[in-house]
Amino acid sequence: MIDRIRERALPRWLESLHDRLAPHLVRRRALQVALVAILLAVVYWGVIASDRYVSEAMVVVDRTELGGGQAMDFASLFAGSRNDHELMLLRDHLRSVDMLHKLEAKLQLRTHYSDWKRDPISRMWFDDAEEEFFHRHYLSRISIDLDDTSGVLRIKSQAYTPRMANEITATLVEEGERFMNDIAHKLARDQVDFLEKQVGEMSERVLTTRRALVDFQNAKGFLSPQAAAETLTSIVSRLEGELTQLKASRETMLGYLSPTAPDVAQINLQISAIETQLRAEKARLTSPKGGTLNRTVEEYQRLEMEAMFAQDVYKTALTALEKGRIEATRNLKKVSIVQSPTLPQYPLEPRRIYNIVVFALTVLVLAGIVQLLAAIIRDHQD
């Protein structure tokens, strides 16, 4: 009977002891794990982690064209003329896979970033890794940020040697400028192609309008209907003046001669002849039936205006074409270097002390949370 009571009481005692010791063991294990993790972090960042050098450059994107008579304003290089859209476009290109291909072809980044002499955590494990993983590793080793205040693009590159870091940054700046100009040149070439087509069409239009004007002159027999109309108008004015003088003379004669007198008859004949001539000349100028000189002048002026307009448009198109050809061959955008790519002398990465302190604080906080949970469990069990 006593043995049975001991057998039942002993497991309860062991279970109670386990429940009391378990939170304590958890707290001790959490602290031990935290210390081991901190020790490993100190060993890695203090001894094993490879040095990475950082090369930095700062650039802005400028347009090279100036308006007529406009002076260069150097302050506009940093504020007034900046285009955040172009800077963001440049930033995205420098982070792109296309840019990675150019760097690989020139600098063999795969070989450098996967060097087995470097620590296994910071390096790329395989030099033939898939492009997606290579690109992800590349993005972790460069930093391209836009300063919204000054409009400056800051480019930072990390590498295991100072020379490689400098070459990566210098290549990014060089290829970035080439990319921006390629975009501008492509647009300029498209504009040139369009303008060449327009110039051809305008040339045909000019020839057509000039030919129509010459045909009209030949058909009407006038080199300049406007000049002929002006001459005819002066003739009408002169005839009207002579007619007025003859009528005044006739009135004077009638004051001392009879209407049948020979002198009066003669002046009447002159007046009649001038009136007939005047009506004929006026009929040449204007007539409700059409076909008169004023209609000819109107048609001529319309054809002449069309020819002049076509010629002016043709001149404008030629000017724009020449300007487009110039822009297609010169640098339209300049990546101005505010700070040249630096040649680092001290490895700024990894930040060993900073990483160790942050890691240690994080691990200790987690260990404290685990201990707090163990204490809460123990209190509920009591």
Side-chain angles (χ1 to χ4, degrees):
M1 186 66 178
I2 296 174
D3 293 339
R4 292 180 180 178
I5 294 174
R6 288 178 178 178
E7 290 176 0
R8 293 179 180 177
L10 185 60
R12 293 178 182 177
W13 177 81
L14 290 175
E15 183 178 355
S16 176
L17 180 62
H18 177 270
D19 293 340
R20 291 178 178 275
L21 292 179
H24 179 68
L25 293 175
V26 169
R27 292 198 302 271
R28 290 185 58 188
R29 289 289 179 86
L31 183 58
Q32 291 175 357
V33 170
L35 293 177
V36 171
I38 292 173
L39 179 61
L40 293 176
V42 171
V43 172
Y44 171 72
W45 274 305
V47 180
I48 299 177
S50 300
D51 292 336
R52 299 198 301 271
Y53 295 85
V54 180
S55 176
E56 181 178 2
M58 293 185 291
V59 300
V60 293
V61 178
D62 304 315
R63 295 180 179 271
T64 59
E65 70 268 20
L66 290 175
Q70 181 180 358
M72 171 66 78
D73 181 11
F74 289 98
S76 65
L77 295 179
F78 304 97
S81 65
R82 89 169 194 261
N83 191 327
D84 290 346
H85 171 73
E86 293 177 348
L87 289 172
M88 294 303 295
L89 182 64
L90 175 59
R91 173 183 177 273
D92 291 341
H93 175 68
L94 296 182
R95 292 170 53 89
S96 67
V97 176
D98 292 338
M99 188 70 242
L100 180 60
H101 290 166
K102 295 177 182 178
L103 290 171
E104 169 63 18
K106 183 176 181 179
L107 304 176
Q108 290 77 46
L109 285 188
R110 284 181 178 270
T111 302
H112 178 78
Y113 282 143
S114 61
D115 187 358
W116 63 271
K117 297 179 182 179
R118 311 301 173 181
D119 72 271
I121 296 179
S122 66
R123 70 179 174 89
M124 190 170 63
W125 287 1
F126 306 103
D127 59 354
D128 59 348
E130 289 79 2
E131 186 175 85
E132 292 78 8
F133 296 101
F134 182 32
H135 184 238
R136 185 181 303 172
H137 186 82
Y138 165 72
L139 293 180
S140 69
R141 293 294 177 260
I142 65 168
S143 172
I144 305 175
D145 300 313
L146 174 62
D147 189 335
D148 294 330
T149 303
S150 60
V152 174
L153 199 65
R154 301 179 184 273
I155 303 173
K156 295 182 180 180
S157 304
Q158 299 181 24
Y160 294 117
T161 62
R163 178 61 60 184
M164 177 60 76
N166 175 265
E167 290 181 354
I168 292 174
T169 305
T171 303
L172 289 175
V173 173
E174 179 184 352
E175 293 296 334
E177 182 175 9
R178 181 178 293 110
F179 168 74
M180 298 302 293
N181 278 305
D182 286 344
I183 292 179
H185 288 162
K186 184 178 184 302
L187 178 60
R189 286 191 294 268
D190 292 341
Q191 292 177 343
V192 168
D193 294 340
F194 173 76
L195 289 172
E196 286 179 344
K197 181 180 179 180
Q198 292 298 312
V199 166
E201 294 178 356
M202 289 300 103
S203 177
E204 291 294 330
R205 183 178 177 184
V206 169
L207 293 177
T208 301
T209 55
R210 298 298 299 179
R211 190 179 299 114
L213 185 61
V214 172
D215 293 341
F216 181 81
Q217 289 173 333
N218 294 333
K220 297 298 182 179
F222 290 110
L223 181 62
S224 176
Q226 180 68 31
E230 292 175 356
T231 301
L232 192 57
T233 301
S234 64
I235 293 174
V236 170
S237 298
R238 182 172 57 81
L239 289 175
E240 288 179 344
E242 292 179 359
L243 181 60
T244 301
Q245 291 179 356
L246 289 174
K247 287 183 177 180
S249 298
R250 186 180 62 181
E251 293 297 327
T252 303
M253 290 180 181
L254 290 176
Y256 60 87
L257 294 176
S258 66
T260 59
D263 292 338
V264 175
Q266 182 180 3
I267 201 169
N268 285 335
L269 290 175
Q270 292 177 354
I271 291 173
S272 178
I274 291 177
E275 287 178 345
T276 302
Q277 183 66 27
L278 188 59
R279 285 192 297 270
E281 297 299 335
K282 286 184 177 181
R284 292 177 59 188
L285 281 174
T286 59
S287 174
K289 297 180 180 180
T292 52
L293 191 57
N294 64 337
R295 186 176 295 276
T296 302
V297 170
E298 189 276 332
E299 293 179 3
Y300 175 81
Q301 289 179 343
R302 177 175 56 79
L303 293 174
E304 186 180 31
M305 182 178 63
E306 291 179 356
M308 292 178 63
F309 176 75
Q311 188 172 1
D312 291 340
V313 174
Y314 180 64
K315 290 180 180 179
T316 303
L318 280 178
T319 303
L321 177 59
E322 290 303 316
K323 182 179 179 182
R325 285 174 176 170
I326 294 174
E327 291 182 348
T329 56
R330 70 181 179 88
N331 287 338
L332 298 177
K333 295 178 182 178
K334 173 68 176 177
V335 177
S336 299
I337 300 176
V338 180
Q339 175 182 299
S340 301
T342 58
L343 182 62
Q345 298 180 354
Y346 180 82
L348 296 178
E349 296 290 341
R351 294 185 291 179
R352 302 178 187 277
I353 297 178
Y354 174 82
N355 290 340
I356 292 173
V357 171
V358 172
F359 182 81
L361 292 176
T362 303
V363 170
L364 291 176
V365 169
L366 293 176
I369 293 174
V370 172
Q371 290 183 354
L372 180 61
L373 293 175
I376 293 173
I377 294 173
R378 184 187 62 186
D379 291 342
H380 281 286
Q381 288 177 348
D382 293 342

